[in-house]
Amino acid sequence: MNDPTEPIRRAMVNEINAEPGSREFLEAKHGQVWDTTQLQQDFEVLGFMAPLIAARRRSDGIKGSLMFQASPRFYFGWSPE
């Protein structure tokens, strides 16, 4: 199976995880940040292909995407469709 997004996503993963940011760093750069528990409370995860997650916001049902870093695991960059 050929995934045309794979090279782009791999580059994004390498960039995000090269120097993982603290929660404070990510908040300053991207705004709101979620840990795994908070993500589960605020979103229904529909699927993922690192470093992106497709999700539905529970408060209003809007679909969109977030990014995540590996460790420490934080989710950020909510972007509605």
Side-chain angles (χ1 to χ4, degrees):
M1 185 158 115
N2 186 19
D3 176 8
T5 69
E6 186 173 0
I8 296 165
R9 288 185 304 97
R10 282 184 187 261
M12 290 173 70
V13 166
N14 289 336
E15 183 179 335
I16 290 168
N17 293 310
E19 292 184 42
S22 67
R23 183 179 200 118
E24 295 76 18
F25 171 81
L26 293 170
E27 286 173 339
K29 189 172 181 181
H30 301 285
Q32 188 169 0
V33 172
W34 295 263
D35 63 24
T36 301
T37 300
Q38 294 166 330
L39 178 83
Q40 292 170 339
Q41 290 170 348
D42 290 353
F43 296 94
E44 173 189 358
V45 175
L46 305 173
F48 71 96
M49 294 179 89
L52 302 170
I53 292 178
R56 178 179 293 117
R57 191 166 49 193
R58 293 186 190 277
S59 64
D60 57 13
I62 292 178
K63 291 182 183 179
S65 62
L66 298 113
M67 293 185 286
F68 67 93
Q69 70 178 23
S71 182
R73 181 62 60 101
F74 288 121
Y75 304 85
F76 54 90
W78 167 249
S79 178
E81 285 186 342

